[in-house]
Amino acid sequence: MALLLGAAAQPPQFLAPLITKGSFAPGDYSFARGAFSGATPEQVANWGQIKPYYRACSHEAALAEDASLKQIGVNAKVPENRAYQDHLCEQIGWAASATQGFTSWDSFHSAFAKSLPYYQTYAAGLSASAAAISVSRNSDSLTDQILVRIIPDQGWRVPMMGSLDALSGVDADTHKALLHRIVAAMIDTDWDNSHWARGVVTAHGWAALTKMGGKVPRLMWLMVQHADADPALQVLTLRQIEPLMRAGKFSRADYALMFDRVGLATIGTQHYGSQLSCKNGHFAPHSMDAGGSDSKVLDARRATMNLPSEAKYLTYVPDHC
């Protein structure tokens, strides 16, 4: 897509009331009215501006991430459907994707309205959990700071592992809307944590974090593993933990998981089959490198990294997706 030289993609003007300090909040999702029949010409025109904006801003983000990777010696071509360091672009793109699978405005609007109380209750529970440990993000203790951040990091992921299926009296559309809200919160959490983690890794280095012991190295690894908006940070971390892993001072399994994450982000393939996608209603490894589709080869690779067989690994996730 051709872009004006030096011109950064700007969100459609009709979204301006939903943007505060560079962050997008979809409100009652009325911004998406133009995606459905019965909308006014203005609503249709407004909706039509979102896709070109997202295409342009994600393209720019891919170029910027390519440049960041080249600065650290990685010649990669990152996917152009990811917003990377343009968080506003990512937020708007994800919010717009909420319309998928809905056939009418009434069903869409009703589902998101009905999902809100469930979402607010869960969010309040996570906030209370973080407050219960009685530490602050401003604490001088790195362990304290990590603990405050890791609760939402993990908390927003739990519902995606099937726990929402146990909600009684929730119809399929409301369930879908609730999951979409939860993923949006996870995206915001990962964005905030990734910037904080980059500062910590840059200031301390992974060897120093390892010497701190306790929960610090493992929980920092979790946050960097989830920093998909910043593949360059993941590459820098992988380089630092590799010698520690070879010296027996860092988990081989955790190294393998980050190796796969970096591979998918930079060359589009993974080596150990740790990253899953939904295929025919079930989770399965995706985008394997040469030989990875052979289960014997894959399991041999995984064994060298203290990972269970792929078949056993898949028993740890829901049996449907």
Side-chain angles (χ1 to χ4, degrees):
M1 176 180 178
L3 296 173
L4 294 175
L5 185 63
Q10 296 297 316
Q13 187 58 38
F14 84 99
L15 296 178
L18 302 175
I19 299 172
T20 303
K21 296 181 179 179
S23 185
F24 179 76
D28 65 357
Y29 285 80
S30 291
F31 81 94
R33 181 64 184 90
F36 302 95
S37 63
T40 67
E42 181 181 13
Q43 289 168 334
V44 173
N46 284 342
W47 178 254
Q49 297 176 54
I50 293 180
K51 187 174 181 179
Y53 160 69
Y54 183 73
R55 189 164 57 242
C57 65
S58 58
H59 173 74
E60 292 172 356
L63 293 177
E65 192 61 35
D66 274 338
S68 294
L69 288 165
K70 284 183 174 64
Q71 286 179 349
I72 58 174
V74 179
N75 190 15
K77 179 64 176 176
V78 300
E80 293 196 7
N81 60 348
R82 299 265 301 275
Y84 296 102
Q85 292 297 297
D86 190 337
H87 188 47
L88 182 60
C89 177
E90 183 178 32
Q91 288 178 312
I92 292 174
W94 179 251
S97 74
T99 60
Q100 296 174 9
F102 289 94
T103 58
S104 73
W105 168 248
D106 286 344
S107 63
F108 171 79
H109 198 245
S110 174
F112 273 84
K114 288 192 291 186
S115 70
L116 184 57
Y118 293 101
Y119 170 78
Q120 290 173 328
T121 299
Y122 190 75
L126 281 185
S127 295
S129 297
I133 62 175
S134 300
V135 297
S136 166
R137 289 190 179 200
N138 298 321
S139 168
D140 292 334
S141 166
L142 185 58
T143 301
D144 286 350
Q145 295 175 49
I146 291 175
L147 287 174
V148 171
R149 290 176 176 276
I150 206 65
I151 289 173
D153 171 281
Q154 294 295 287
W156 289 120
R157 285 173 164 78
V158 170
M160 290 185 289
M161 300 305 290
S163 61
L164 288 183
D165 297 344
L167 283 175
S168 61
V170 177
D171 60 86
D173 281 351
T174 301
H175 183 282
K176 181 164 53 179
L178 176 57
L179 187 58
H180 192 278
R181 289 184 183 276
I182 286 171
V183 173
M186 183 192 73
I187 288 171
D188 289 346
T189 296
D190 289 350
W191 168 260
D192 183 53
N193 284 349
S194 70
H195 281 258
W196 178 80
R198 175 177 270 277
V200 173
V201 172
T202 301
H204 297 279
W206 210 271
L209 295 175
T210 299
K211 290 178 182 178
M212 292 180 189
K215 300 179 177 68
V216 169
R218 169 65 179 175
L219 298 185
M220 279 298 302
W221 171 86
L222 271 175
M223 277 190 275
V224 176
Q225 178 78 345
H226 295 153
D228 291 332
D230 193 357
L233 168 62
Q234 294 175 326
V235 170
L236 290 171
T237 299
L238 192 69
R239 289 175 176 174
Q240 292 186 34
I241 64 179
E242 182 174 3
L244 297 170
M245 178 272 293
R246 296 191 183 284
K249 297 178 180 179
F250 189 87
S251 163
R252 297 180 72 83
D254 286 350
Y255 174 85
L257 266 61
M258 188 166 289
F259 187 92
D260 277 355
R261 206 89 164 200
V262 166
L264 287 172
T266 56
I267 61 175
T269 59
Q270 60 174 324
H271 190 68
Y272 299 106
S274 65
Q275 305 304 299
L276 308 177
S277 63
C278 191
K279 295 181 180 179
N280 301 318
H282 300 280
F283 286 106
H286 69 106
S287 302
M288 295 300 304
D289 61 10
S293 59
D294 185 321
S295 61
K296 291 184 179 179
V297 171
L298 180 57
D299 284 347
R301 293 176 181 176
R302 293 176 62 84
T304 65
M305 304 306 286
N306 299 331
L307 290 167
S309 70
E310 190 71 21
K312 185 173 179 62
Y313 180 55
L314 291 174
T315 66
Y316 300 156
V317 298
D319 60 3
H320 66 277
C321 52

